[in-house]
Amino acid sequence: MVEQLLINDDDYYVPDANQLITENDTLDNFATSKQKRLLIGSLYSTLQQQTFLAAANVGIYHTDGQPAIVPDVFLSFDVQVPENWWEKQNRCYMVWRFGKPPEVVLEIVSNKEGDELGKKLQIYEHMRASYYIVYDPNQQLGEKLLRVYELRGRRYFETSENWLEQVGLGVTLWEGKFEDRQDTWLRWCYQDGTVLLTGDERAEQERQRAEQERQRAEQERQRAEQAKQRTQLLADRLRALGVDPDTL
């Protein structure tokens, strides 16, 4: 039973938020929901020439007889969702059907109950995902905001490198605005640190480029107009002196 708090004399009660489940393996909070959209959307907006599958909160069946594990985000290259994705066997990621595990699995820590550094790490290690990323924005698991594990042989090793060499992508913490929310976001990036753009960012970049081109064209028009005016002024002065400028 949820504990309730009396907040006024009219017998009006509200639940104590500390007693409510605000997120778990199937329930998102506002922040993680946005974070997942940013990670997934920027991949599909940028890597349009590559074949891959990226998803959030989709189950991965990795071992016969074992339940699915549901990473917050996963990325798998050289695979696609089957054409009939409503068929039962095509609704989630079955490793034996796709022929390989995802290259990258990612967990966003919301509380201390997910066991991201324990059971989940062991499952992803056994599944042989090349990289396991743990993003801990509220430092629930310690001082580190970001942990990257790389599969070497049969075991995961934590690395200080945020560049995922085997997939040609990196991850970085980025300060900025996404969907009108200013915050620190986890983003995919290139090796030089440039982030992968979302569709909205790409459209805004194109808009700024078009505006710069328009401004340059206007500046050129104004310069041409000023040159024409100077030429006309000079011609008028020469005519005033009795000189036909067309004969010069």
Side-chain angles (χ1 to χ4, degrees):
M1 184 174 184
V2 175
E3 180 182 346
Q4 295 180 321
L5 299 178
L6 177 64
I7 61 173
N8 60 34
D9 294 333
D10 297 326
D11 292 333
Y12 178 73
Y13 292 89
V14 295
D16 179 2
N18 292 321
Q19 303 298 319
L20 299 178
I21 298 174
T22 55
E23 61 274 316
N24 55 31
D25 283 346
T26 58
L27 181 66
D28 260 344
N29 58 51
F30 292 124
T32 58
S33 176
K34 279 185 181 290
Q35 176 65 81
K36 294 172 191 179
R37 286 200 297 275
L38 174 56
L39 288 167
I40 298 296
S42 58
L43 286 170
Y44 279 103
S45 173
T46 303
L47 305 182
Q48 298 180 9
Q49 305 305 314
Q50 297 189 46
T51 301
F52 68 93
L53 172 58
N57 289 350
V58 171
I60 300 176
Y61 280 94
H62 52 92
T63 303
D64 184 30
Q66 294 295 318
I69 188 168
V70 186
D72 286 322
V73 174
F74 74 78
L75 170 61
S76 185
F77 284 96
D78 301 319
V79 298
Q80 291 180 306
V81 176
E83 187 66 26
N84 188 352
W85 62 5
W86 287 114
E87 289 185 2
K88 184 71 170 179
Q89 68 270 21
N90 295 333
R91 295 187 186 185
C92 60
Y93 196 104
M94 299 181 186
V95 172
W96 53 88
R97 289 184 63 83
F98 284 94
K100 56 184 283 293
E103 277 79 11
V104 183
V105 288
L106 188 149
E107 295 285 355
I108 302 168
V109 180
S110 299
N111 50 54
K112 297 180 180 180
E113 300 174 4
D115 204 13
E116 284 83 5
L117 303 183
K119 183 178 179 180
K120 286 183 178 179
L121 184 147
Q122 293 172 3
I123 292 174
Y124 293 133
E125 184 179 70
H126 175 74
M127 191 172 74
R128 302 190 63 76
S130 301
Y131 295 97
Y132 174 39
I133 298 170
V134 180
Y135 179 39
D136 187 9
N138 290 316
Q139 297 173 297
Q140 299 275 353
L141 306 180
E143 295 182 358
K144 291 184 179 180
L145 292 173
L146 186 63
R147 293 175 173 87
V148 178
Y149 296 90
E150 182 179 24
L151 190 68
R152 301 173 188 170
R154 297 172 51 240
R155 294 287 180 263
Y156 272 141
F157 290 86
E158 187 173 0
T159 174
S160 60
E161 291 291 330
N162 290 349
W163 176 248
L164 316 179
E165 182 68 34
Q166 297 181 50
V167 298
L169 286 175
V171 287
T172 188
L173 297 178
W174 174 83
E175 294 280 346
K177 183 177 288 188
F178 172 63
E179 294 183 351
D180 292 325
R181 180 73 185 198
Q182 182 75 27
D183 210 328
T184 300
W185 302 96
L186 179 65
R187 301 197 62 164
W188 305 105
C189 66
Y190 296 108
Q191 197 161 12
D192 64 358
T194 304
V195 298
L196 274 63
L197 299 181
T198 65
D200 287 345
E201 288 172 333
R202 193 173 297 279
E204 175 62 18
Q205 192 178 73
E206 289 300 320
R207 188 196 66 78
Q208 292 179 0
R209 186 179 294 113
E211 177 61 20
Q212 291 171 355
E213 288 297 327
R214 187 196 66 78
Q215 291 178 359
R216 280 195 289 269
E218 176 62 19
Q219 290 170 355
E220 287 298 324
R221 187 195 67 77
Q222 291 177 0
R223 280 195 289 268
E225 181 64 25
Q226 292 169 356
K228 180 180 179 181
Q229 292 175 356
R230 286 195 295 269
T231 300
Q232 184 62 46
L233 179 61
L234 178 60
D236 292 344
R237 289 178 178 176
L238 288 173
R239 290 190 182 96
L241 294 173
V243 178
D244 184 357
D246 295 333
T247 63
L248 298 179

